[in-house]
Structures are given as C-alpha cells and as structure tokens.
Amino acid sequence: MKTPGRNEPCPCGSGKKYKHCCLHRPGGIPRVPDDVPPPGAQQADWDDTGEAGAAASFFDQLRDAMKDHEFTSLAEAQDFAQSFTTRHNQDPAPGFDGLSPEQMQALLYAPTTSPEVLHVAETLTTPPRAPLLAWFHLIADALGQNGVPATQKGNLPLKLCRDALRAAQGDPDYGPAPFELDPDRIRSEEDTFLLHDTRVVARVAGLLRLHRKRWTLTRRARQALAAGDDAALYLRLFDALTSRVDWRYHTRYHELDMLQRTWPFLIRLLQRYGDARRPAAFYVGALLEAFPGFEDETIAGIDPWTLQFEDPVETALERMRSTVTFLALERFARPLGLVTLEPDGRDPIRPWRSNWIVQATPLAREVVRFEV
C-alpha cells in the first residue's frame, strides 16, 4: 500500500488526518492500530463478535515483534505485518484444539467449500439413526401420496400430531419423550416439540411442500422413500439444520448469534473426545475456550432481571452456558443422532434439570470427515 497523502485518513485508524497523526513518527510509519485488522488478517483473528476472541493477544504479539525491528518505510512495516499475520494464521492457536486461525476460518465461514479442511459426506455406509429422521418417517407415512390439509396457521392437522405422538412414545429412536405430554391434550402441532421441529426442518430441506393449503411430500422425498434411501433423507435434514434453520427457532433464546457457525468445530470435538462419556460441561467449556467472545457478549448484555442476584455476572454466565448446552447439544447434535444424552442422575424426579452425560455416536464420525 502506498504512503498516504498528508490530508488522507491515517492508516493507524485514529480517525485523524495523516499529517496530524503518524506523519511525524520516525520514518512516518503509522502505529499498529488497536481496532483495525492488519493487511491479510483473517476474520477469525480480529472479528469482535465472538468467533475467536484472539484479537487483543494477536495485536500485542504484533506490536512486540515490530518493536524489535527498525523500518525505513511504511511499505517495509506493512510487509512485516503481512508476513507476521500469515505465519500467525497458519500456526495452531491456543483454544482451537490444534487448529490454526486459517483452518478455523474455513470451519466457521466455508465448511462446505473447504475440502482441504473437511468434507461433509455425500452418502453414508450405514443406515442413519436420528430422531429427526424417525419423526420425518412418521410425517411421511401420515401424508401418504395425497398429503393432508394444513391448519389455518399452516401447521399439520391436530389428529396427525396426536397419532404421531402416540406412535413415538416409549421408542428411543424418536429421542426423549416430552415429559408430561398427553397426546389427547395437545392443541396444535407446536405442542409436539420434535414433530414441529422436524416439519420445519424437512420443509427447508426440500422434503415437504405446502401447496394450496395442503402438506405433501416433494418428488425428492418420494423418490428417496421409495428407494429406501434413508441416507439421502438424513443428509438433506443435516444440511438444513446446520446452515439454513436457526437453532433458536421457536425458543426463547435470542443471543449468541455466532454459535450456530461453530457446528463443524463441535463435531470435530465429538470425533476427538466423544468415545468416552463426558459431562456436557466439557464440550461447552471447549467451545467457550475457543470463542471467549461469547462470554464477553453475555457480560456486556446483562439484563436487569439478572442484576437482582448476588453475583449477576456469574448468574448471566451460567445462563449462557445453559443456552450453549441446549442449542448445541439438545437442539442440534441430539436430533441429528450425533450424540446420546443421559441425565447424570442428580435430579431423578426431574431428569431434564440434571446435567447431561454426552457420548458421540458412530454417525458423528461418518457425516463429516476432517483433514486437519
């Protein structure tokens, strides 16, 4: 980059003109900016939304490295910063479980177009078992060839929902049974939790269609069902839930915008550590170590309700950790059959209030293959 003109904004990011800022520094070399990424910096290094949380450490290292060199021109300083940034992005970063910022960048922003880092399966060697797939089969059986009329709200009809809930109760293939949920007492599709979620995901996946106020199977879904190709159905559901359906849909959670982008890193953690049964806190802790910006976001957004507690910061962080557990493990990994979640037994009367013990399934190893 050429040397800026006297009246141009200073490259250091101060907002002042170059003549009023770094022009008079030795050699006219701008200081290292505090909040502007250096040339070639990867998004995962400096973005302030919580993806990596390594910005302050990186800039400290760059400043220290530049102090040990004497530059004779702005271009020389920029070349040094570029070279330092490139090395930094290619070396393993603390908290990234052996990954470099460059590799993490690919996981977060281009997981399906970074074959040098990971591959999402195009087919599966073993029949997949996942609650989302099991619920989809219930819906498909109920729709048949002609489909069913939608409710005024656009949901599946109440009788279909009640019959599906009866068929699913007591069968572990459909995931956890909704506690205290009587099929005869539900009033709409949205009361059936996983059935509602499956209908939403399957529509986004191109397996269900709402046309002229009638729910039907798409041609793609009918072909896969006729061929017994559960792998094709599962991979469509997987793609929809990873990238096109917000995990926070139909929940009270509205924070942690970046959490969903971390799904490849979560699966990598499950592949590396999921053979052993581990508490959910292990995976939540690993996510927060890699992306400490989630904690910063939580502290910055403490709401008045939390301020009534003796330690509002810890209360807010505990709620945040619960949110990560729910969205990443209960809302994503378990419906897709990537993990089994078992209560740790601390609250046998209300097991959903216990902490989860997590173990990865074989499907977690097959659906994504990592090259790093």
Side-chain angles (χ1 to χ4, degrees):
M1 184 162 83
K2 66 181 182 66
T3 302
R6 290 173 55 85
N7 292 313
E8 292 179 0
C10 186
C12 78
S14 65
K16 301 178 183 179
K17 293 182 179 180
Y18 181 52
K19 67 182 180 182
H20 294 312
C21 192
C22 292
L23 174 62
H24 303 293
R25 290 173 58 85
I29 301 170
R31 65 183 177 87
V32 178
D34 292 324
D35 55 359
V36 178
Q42 296 289 327
Q43 179 82 5
D45 294 329
W46 56 268
D47 197 300
D48 62 358
T49 56
E51 295 92 321
S57 174
F58 169 73
F59 285 128
D60 287 343
Q61 294 173 38
L62 178 55
R63 289 190 191 94
D64 291 342
M66 294 186 78
K67 288 177 182 177
D68 297 333
H69 292 75
E70 295 206 359
F71 304 103
T72 59
S73 67
L74 175 62
E76 185 180 344
Q78 290 174 335
D79 288 344
F80 179 89
Q82 175 71 58
S83 177
F84 184 91
T85 300
T86 299
R87 292 195 306 272
H88 174 269
N89 286 334
Q90 294 175 348
D91 291 338
F96 283 3
D97 196 53
L99 298 177
S100 69
E102 194 171 79
Q103 292 166 336
M104 184 64 81
Q105 174 85 1
L107 293 188
L108 293 176
Y109 293 99
T112 60
T113 57
S114 300
E116 74 283 1
V117 178
L118 79 163
H119 297 266
V120 177
E122 296 180 358
T123 186
L124 301 173
T125 59
T126 56
R129 295 183 60 185
L132 268 181
L133 182 61
W135 282 101
F136 174 75
H137 274 292
L138 283 182
I139 295 174
D141 291 343
L143 296 185
Q145 293 297 316
N146 299 320
V148 297
T151 66
Q152 185 175 3
K153 194 175 180 180
N155 289 333
L156 296 169
L158 181 58
K159 183 179 184 304
L160 184 156
C161 298
R162 288 176 172 174
D163 290 345
L165 187 56
R166 290 190 188 95
Q169 284 185 329
D171 190 334
D173 283 346
Y174 296 93
F179 47 86
E180 301 178 1
L181 188 60
D182 183 349
D184 294 324
R185 300 187 66 178
I186 64 172
R187 292 292 177 263
S188 74
E189 172 198 302
E190 295 175 12
D191 292 338
T192 55
F193 309 115
L194 273 173
L195 176 63
H196 174 68
D197 291 348
T198 302
R199 195 268 295 164
V200 171
V201 176
R203 185 185 188 185
V204 174
L207 301 177
L208 296 180
R209 182 187 185 208
L210 180 60
H211 181 62
R212 295 182 178 179
K213 299 182 180 181
R214 194 171 188 86
W215 283 107
T216 60
L217 295 167
T218 64
R219 179 181 301 178
R220 177 185 289 111
R222 290 197 299 270
Q223 290 174 343
L225 289 166
D229 193 353
D230 274 359
L233 295 171
Y234 175 84
L235 291 172
R236 298 288 303 186
L237 296 170
F238 178 88
D239 174 69
L241 191 53
T242 53
S243 59
R244 290 184 284 157
V245 177
D246 193 330
W247 298 350
R248 300 168 299 180
Y249 169 77
H250 203 233
T251 73
R252 67 181 186 275
Y253 302 109
H254 305 289
E255 62 271 27
L256 303 183
D257 292 340
M258 278 298 302
L259 178 61
Q260 187 156 347
R261 287 190 182 273
T262 69
W263 68 263
F265 185 61
L266 174 61
I267 294 180
R268 186 176 185 273
L269 292 173
L270 290 171
Q271 290 186 4
R272 286 169 60 83
Y273 305 107
D275 286 343
R277 299 171 73 251
R278 300 177 186 272
F282 172 84
Y283 295 99
V284 174
L287 287 172
L288 296 182
E289 183 180 3
F291 311 109
F294 290 147
E295 293 191 354
D296 298 336
E297 176 187 347
T298 299
I299 294 173
I302 290 179
D303 57 68
W305 179 83
T306 308
L307 295 176
Q308 65 183 300
F309 294 95
E310 183 175 345
D311 190 343
V313 171
E314 183 53 40
T315 300
L317 291 177
E318 183 58 36
R319 290 178 61 197
M320 182 269 297
R321 288 188 283 267
S322 297
T323 300
V324 173
T325 300
F326 175 73
L327 295 177
L329 295 177
E330 299 179 47
R331 189 79 169 178
F332 166 68
R334 179 165 60 184
L336 284 172
L338 305 177
V339 297
T340 59
L341 302 181
E342 299 178 5
D344 62 5
R346 294 185 183 183
D347 194 339
I349 298 177
R350 295 168 294 184
W352 61 90
R353 291 192 177 182
S354 299
N355 294 323
W356 293 117
I357 300 298
V358 182
Q359 188 165 21
T361 66
L363 192 55
R365 294 191 173 280
E366 188 170 358
V367 71
V368 175
R369 186 179 83 249
F370 291 91
E371 302 295 335
V372 293

